[in-house]
């Protein structure tokens, strides 16, 4: 009987798994170490990015087109940085070099200037940029690696930094535009019996009520326009974007999704009929169809009291008109308040001083109610300000919080919702576009209608000082 051969055993391999595990362990530790180093770098980068984002938003919020606004931007960004924590405990130090400004960060070859240069020419600066690489201390952003250093001394430290750019993405300007009644930004009106001249801004007098739908410096027919809120200013806009349905939500909110308005050329449409009065009237707590405004997106004013007739009881006689009487000239449509000759009657001036008071054209004593007889002359006797308007200057009837000139809304309200920021255009309008010369503030003295938007002129405002939504763009 033959025996089957038994195969020889495999060579003994004790310890080979240990060697393989040791080799793999080195690789595992290496990758783990790299992951830990990268996580540390990521966390430091995230911390710096948060600091840069917050500081840029604060700086952009401070910009208002003035040197003081640049100073405020620096102060606000600095405060954010100094209140920040880095590596969970360290406090970065501030340097003005970390903050710069630009008029248009999206333009090719955009120019960024430091705070000193920005203060010298602040008017067009809308963008604020923060770069943490310019902050102190010197070691800020320097991260010591633990495992990467094994691969070489040059990897023993890594540097991270962050940048952020912020700007306003909307401005509280109503998409209803009218012509500037004069190309002169600041003029002087002489009123007999008053030593100082009266300031006139782009042809408008402060404290005088105007029907914004019934003015024209270049013709006898009314000229008012709806502003294209969608297309970029300076580009050919789509006419469809000036349709009532498109403009209506922006009329409700009283804002335009633009970084700036002044100096920009907007696409416009001159409507045959003004159909957006219901949207304006949300300011008076009116939300009836077809406005489609809501109290959440278009809250009423804190004071919804209209001023008409007896409601303007600070005037004697009580005005029977809401706004100054229109005057059709040879080639213009103005009001009796803009003429140098007296009005035919005191009532022709409409409601006066519900919101604003006239100002001297040069620094001097402000006008008082005692000077109404010289400011607003009439053949049958001028209107006279009653005791409500004291010579020392009390808050205007609109700013009342109680009494005959105040009415609270049924919905939670917001101060100055009745104050419309209206683009004043360089007219005549040609080719469906016109440049905005300035933004004028007008108080709605009464609910609007298809025939009239009754609003009292309160002066020219720097649009950057109006505020608006600030967002990160980079």
């Amino acid at each position: 009987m033959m025996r089957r051969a038994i195969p020889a055993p495999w060579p003994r391999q004790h310890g080979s798994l240990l060697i393989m595990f040791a080799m793999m362990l080195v690789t595992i530790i290496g990758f783990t170490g790299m992951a830990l180093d990268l996580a540390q770098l990521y966390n430091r980068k995230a911390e710096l990015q948060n600091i840069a984002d917050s500081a840029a938003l604060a700086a952009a919020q401070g910009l208002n087109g003035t040197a003081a606004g640049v100073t405020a931007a620096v102060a606000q960004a600095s405060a954010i940085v100094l209140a920040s924590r880095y590596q969970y405990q360290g406090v970065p130090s501030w340097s003005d070099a970390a903050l710069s400004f630009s008029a248009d960060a999206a333009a090719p070859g955009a120019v960024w200037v430091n705070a000193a240069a920005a203060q010298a020419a602040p008017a067009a600066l809308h963008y604020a940029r923060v770069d943490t690489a310019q902050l102190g201390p010197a070691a800020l952003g320097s991260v010591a690696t633990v495992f990467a250093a094994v691969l070489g001394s040059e990897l023993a430290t890594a540097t991270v930094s962050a940048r952020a750019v912020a700007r306003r993405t909307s401005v509280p300007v109503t998409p209803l535009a009218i012509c500037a009644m004069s190309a002169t930004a600041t003029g002087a009106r002489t009123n007999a019996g008053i030593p100082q001249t009266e300031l006139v801004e782009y042809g408008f007098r402060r404290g005088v009520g105007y029907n914004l739908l019934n003015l024209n410096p270049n013709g006898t027919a009314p000229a008012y326009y709806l502003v294209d809120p969608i297309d970029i200013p300076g580009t050919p806009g789509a006419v469809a974007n000036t349709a009532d349905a498109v403009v209506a939500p922006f009329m409700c909110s009283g804002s335009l999704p633009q970084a700036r308005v002044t100096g920009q050329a907007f696409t416009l449409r001159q409507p045959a009929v003004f159909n957006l009065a219901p949207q304006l009237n949300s300011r008076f707590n009116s939300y009836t169809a077809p406005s489609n405004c809501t109290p959440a997106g278009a809250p009423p004013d804190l004071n919804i009291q209209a001023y008409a007739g007896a409601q303007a009881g600070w005037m004697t006689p009580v005005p029977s008109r809401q706004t100054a009487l229109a005057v059709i000239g040879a080639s213009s449509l103005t009001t009796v308040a803009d003429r140098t000759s007296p009005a035919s009657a005191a009532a022709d001036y409409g409601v006066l001083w519900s919101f604003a008071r006239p100002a001297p054209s040069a620094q001097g004593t402000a006008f008082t109610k005692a000077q109404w007889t010289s400011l607003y002359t009439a053949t049958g006797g001028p209107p006279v300000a009653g005791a409500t308007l004291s010579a020392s200057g009390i808050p205007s009837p609109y700013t009342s919080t109680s009494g005959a000139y105040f009415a609270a809304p049924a919905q939670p309200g917001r101060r100055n919702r009745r104050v419309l920021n209206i683009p004043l255009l360089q007219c005549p309008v040609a080719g469906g576009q016109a440049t905005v010369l300035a933004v004028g503030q007008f108080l709605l003295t009464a609910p609007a209608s298809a025939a009239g938007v009754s609003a009292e002129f309160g002066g020219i405002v720097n649009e950057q000082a109006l505020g608006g939504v600030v967002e990160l763009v980079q």
Side-chain angles (χ1 to χ4, degrees), residues 65-401:
T66 68
V70 175
T71 300
V74 174
Q76 291 170 197
S78 172
I80 290 292
V81 169
L82 295 176
S84 300
R85 293 293 181 267
Y86 178 65
Q87 291 185 318
Y88 307 109
Q89 57 183 359
V91 179
S93 59
W94 173 255
S95 170
D96 286 356
L99 181 60
S100 54
F101 306 91
S102 177
D104 188 356
V111 176
W112 291 91
V113 298
N114 60 23
Q119 287 175 328
L125 299 177
H126 300 273
Y127 292 82
R129 180 177 69 181
V130 172
D131 185 355
T132 64
Q134 303 298 320
L135 295 174
L140 186 71
S142 180
V143 180
T145 62
V146 177
F147 296 94
V150 176
L151 301 177
S153 59
E154 68 276 6
L155 299 178
T157 60
T159 302
V160 293
S161 62
R163 279 186 178 182
V165 177
R167 67 154 184 152
R168 295 193 189 281
T169 55
S170 71
V171 61
V173 172
T174 306
L176 170 64
I178 62 175
C179 293
M181 297 302 290
S182 169
T184 304
T186 56
R189 175 188 173 93
T190 300
N191 298 295
I194 303 178
Q196 66 268 47
T197 56
E198 178 186 354
L199 174 66
V200 179
E201 298 169 281
Y202 289 100
F204 293 95
R205 299 177 68 185
R206 294 187 185 185
V208 171
Y210 296 88
N211 180 354
L212 302 187
L213 306 184
N214 198 35
L215 296 169
N216 190 349
N218 302 300
T220 57
Y224 61 92
Y225 304 88
L226 299 182
V227 177
D228 175 0
I230 305 298
D231 295 303
I232 298 173
T235 62
V239 176
N241 287 338
T242 60
D244 290 349
V246 176
V247 177
F250 302 97
M251 199 72 77
C252 289
S253 66
S255 64
L256 289 171
Q258 307 291 345
R260 64 185 181 203
V261 171
T262 304
Q264 303 298 298
F266 281 87
T267 299
L268 308 165
R269 176 174 67 90
Q270 185 173 10
V273 178
F274 184 66
N275 296 316
L276 299 179
Q279 283 73 19
L280 290 178
N281 292 339
S282 62
R283 291 138 177 93
F284 288 95
N285 202 66
S286 174
Y287 298 96
T288 56
S291 77
N292 292 324
C293 300
T294 64
D301 198 290
L302 284 177
N303 182 1
I304 62 170
Q305 178 63 62
Y307 302 125
Q311 294 164 337
W314 65 89
M315 296 182 62
T316 304
V318 172
S320 57
R321 296 187 52 82
Q322 193 65 41
T323 59
L325 179 68
V327 173
I328 299 177
S331 59
S332 64
L333 176 58
T334 60
T335 75
V336 294
D338 305 305
R339 298 190 307 178
T340 55
S341 56
S344 58
D348 290 346
Y349 286 101
V351 178
L352 298 164
W353 288 30
S354 66
F355 170 57
R357 301 185 178 207
S361 60
Q363 189 174 6
T365 305
F367 296 114
T368 68
K369 70 185 186 72
Q371 295 171 309
W372 273 38
T373 54
S374 297
L375 289 167
Y376 313 111
T377 57
T379 55
V384 177
T388 304
L389 297 174
S390 70
S392 59
I394 64 168
S396 67
Y398 165 67
T399 59
S400 300
T401 57

Side-chain angles (χ1 to χ4, degrees), residues 376-442:
Y376 313 111
T377 57
T379 55
V384 177
T388 304
L389 297 174
S390 70
S392 59
I394 64 168
S396 67
Y398 165 67
T399 59
S400 300
T401 57
S402 63
Y405 309 131
F406 173 79
Q411 310 285 347
R414 193 173 71 211
R415 174 62 70 190
N416 292 332
R417 272 282 290 159
R418 283 167 59 183
V419 179
L420 305 182
N421 299 311
I422 300 293
L424 303 181
L425 305 174
Q426 184 177 29
C427 291
V429 173
Q433 279 198 337
T435 299
V436 176
L437 295 177
V439 175
Q441 288 196 317
F442 293 83

